[in-house]
C-alpha cells in the first residue's frame, strides 16, 4: 500500500466502536466481538507505524464503561492484560512507545501491572507513540488538570490554555488531526474533549472488527483532501 506523504496526519485518535454489534450479528457473545476488535487493533497499530504516523490514541475503555455487566468488564480487562503482555515484545521491536492514559487508580492491580510493565519497557522508544485510553473520560481529565493547577497554587487570573493543556494526559503532544469513530454512532462519548477542538472528525459505518488496513489508508486519504482553516477565512 502506498501513501501520499504530504499532509499526513501526525496524530490519529480512534473510538473503536461496534464490537458488540459485530458479535451479535454472528449470534456470539459480546466478548467474541471484543477479541475480534483486538485483532483489528493489532493490525492498525502496525499500519500506523508503517505509514509513519507519529501518535495513535485509541479509546479502549471509558469512565462510563463500568456500567456494563461484570462479565463484560472483567472480560475487557482480561483482554487488556493479554494485549499488554503478549504484544509488548513486538511493539518494542517496532520501536513503539506505549502510553496508557486515563485514571489508572481504578484499574485492578493486574491490569495496572501489565500496563506499567509495557510502558516501562517501551519508555525510551522513539517510534510511534501509542496512547491507550483505559478508564479514560474527557471531563474527568479536564477536572484532574484543573485540580493539578490549583495544587500548584496557580492564581485564577494566570491560567492559560497552554497551562491547562500541559496538565492533560496528552501533555506535550499535538492534538489529534484526525478522529475516527467506527460503527455508525455519531457522538464523541467523552473522548479527548479538550484535544478535539480542531480535529477533523470521521464517522464511518464499518464495525470496528471489520476495519482494516485498506480502510485505514482510505481514511487517511480522505483526511488529506480536507481543508483545515482553524477559523480563518
Ligand atoms: C466498543 O464496542 C468497545 C468498547 C466500548 C470497549 P462496543 O462494545 O461498544 O460495541 P457496540 O457499540 O455494543 O456494538
Ligand atoms: C465509547 O464507546 C467507548 C469506547 C469505544 C471504549 P461506547 O460504545 O461505550 O459509547 P456509547 O455508550 O455508545 O456512547
Ligand atoms: Mg458501543
Amino acid at each position: 500500500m502506498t501513501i501520499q506523504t504530504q499532509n499526513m496526519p501526525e496524530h490519529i485518535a480512534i473510538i473503536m466502536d461496534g464490537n458488540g454489534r459485530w458479535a451479535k450479528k454472528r449470534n456470539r457473545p459480546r466478548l467474541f466481538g471484543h477479541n475480534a476488535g483486538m485483532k483489528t487493533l493489532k493490525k492498525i497499530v502496525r499500519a500506523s507505524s508503517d505509514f509513519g504516523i507519529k501518535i495513535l490514541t485509541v479509546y479502549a475503555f471509558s469512565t462510563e464503561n463500568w456500567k456494563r455487566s461484570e462479565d463484560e468488564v472483567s472480560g475487557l480487562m482480561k483482554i487488556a492484560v493479554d494485549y499488554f503482555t503478549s504484544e509488548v515484545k513486538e511493539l518494542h521491536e517496532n520501536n513503539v512507545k506505549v502510553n496508557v492514559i486515563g485514571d489508572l487508580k481504578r484499574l485492578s492491580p493486574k491490569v495496572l501491572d501489565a500496563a506499567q510493565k509495557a510502558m516501562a519497557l517501551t519508555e525510551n522508544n522513539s517510534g510511534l507513540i501509542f496512547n491507550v485510553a483505559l478508564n479514560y473520560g474527557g471531563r474527568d481529565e479536564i477536572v484532574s488538570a484543573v485540580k493539578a493547577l490549583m495544587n500548584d497554587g496557580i492564581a485564577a487570573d494566570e491560567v492559560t490554555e497552554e497551562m491547562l493543556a500541559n496538565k492533560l494526559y496528552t501533555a506535550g503532544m499535538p492534538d489529534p488531526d484526525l478522529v475516527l469513530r467506527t460503527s455508525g454512532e455519531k457522538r464523541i462519548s467523552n473522548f479527548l474533549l479538550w484535544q478535539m477542538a480542531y480535529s477533523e472528525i470521521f464517522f464511518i459505518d464499518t464495525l470496528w472488527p471489520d476495519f482494516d488496513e485498506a480502510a485505514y489508508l482510505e481514511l487517511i486519504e480522505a483526511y488529506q483532501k480536507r481543508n483545515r482553516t482553524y477559523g480563518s477565512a
Side-chain angles (χ1 to χ4, degrees), residues 15-17 59-62 65 68 181 187 189:
I15 303 174
M16 309 181 287
D17 198 15
Y59 208 4
F61 193 89
S62 75
N65 286 145
R68 297 187 179 201
R181 183 175 190 143
R187 57 179 170 268
S189 301

Side-chain angles (χ1 to χ4, degrees), residues 59-216:
Y59 208 4
F61 193 89
S62 75
T63 47
E64 286 70 40
N65 286 145
W66 299 103
K67 293 177 199 160
R68 297 187 179 201
S69 75
E70 230 179 279
D71 271 7
E72 185 172 356
V73 170
S74 61
L76 281 166
M77 292 300 156
K78 190 181 174 301
I79 290 173
V81 173
D82 290 350
Y83 180 82
F84 289 131
T85 39
S86 70
E87 279 301 293
V88 72
K89 195 167 164 270
E90 184 187 320
L91 293 170
H92 189 44
E93 279 164 9
N94 288 327
N95 200 21
V96 175
K97 180 181 165 127
V98 179
N99 188 30
V100 183
I101 63 170
D103 181 4
L104 307 189
K105 289 191 300 293
R106 197 172 165 186
L107 301 177
S108 75
K110 242 187 176 163
V111 180
L112 192 61
D113 183 60
Q116 280 170 340
K117 281 190 177 133
M119 287 192 277
L121 179 71
T122 61
E123 175 173 47
N124 296 316
N125 288 348
S126 56
L128 175 75
I129 296 175
F130 176 37
N131 295 320
V132 181
L134 210 52
N135 192 28
Y136 173 91
R139 288 186 171 181
D140 181 65
E141 179 184 36
I142 294 169
V143 170
S144 303
V146 170
K147 285 182 182 167
L149 289 176
M150 294 179 87
N151 281 332
D152 286 352
I154 310 289
D157 280 355
E158 291 169 19
V159 177
T160 63
E161 291 186 7
E162 198 190 350
M163 282 161 81
L164 200 139
N166 279 327
K167 295 292 188 189
L168 300 174
Y169 299 123
T170 50
M173 299 178 201
D175 289 334
D177 300 294
L178 189 173
V179 175
L180 167 69
R181 183 175 190 143
T182 56
S183 91
E185 303 304 336
K186 292 173 185 70
R187 57 179 170 268
I188 297 307
S189 301
N190 206 9
F191 191 43
L192 302 176
L193 296 180
W194 173 280
Q195 297 89 334
M196 241 187 248
Y198 261 107
S199 302
E200 293 295 330
I201 305 184
F202 291 79
F203 295 104
I204 64 170
D205 288 337
T206 311
L207 302 174
W208 177 247
D210 290 328
F211 191 68
D212 61 11
E213 293 92 338
Y216 196 36

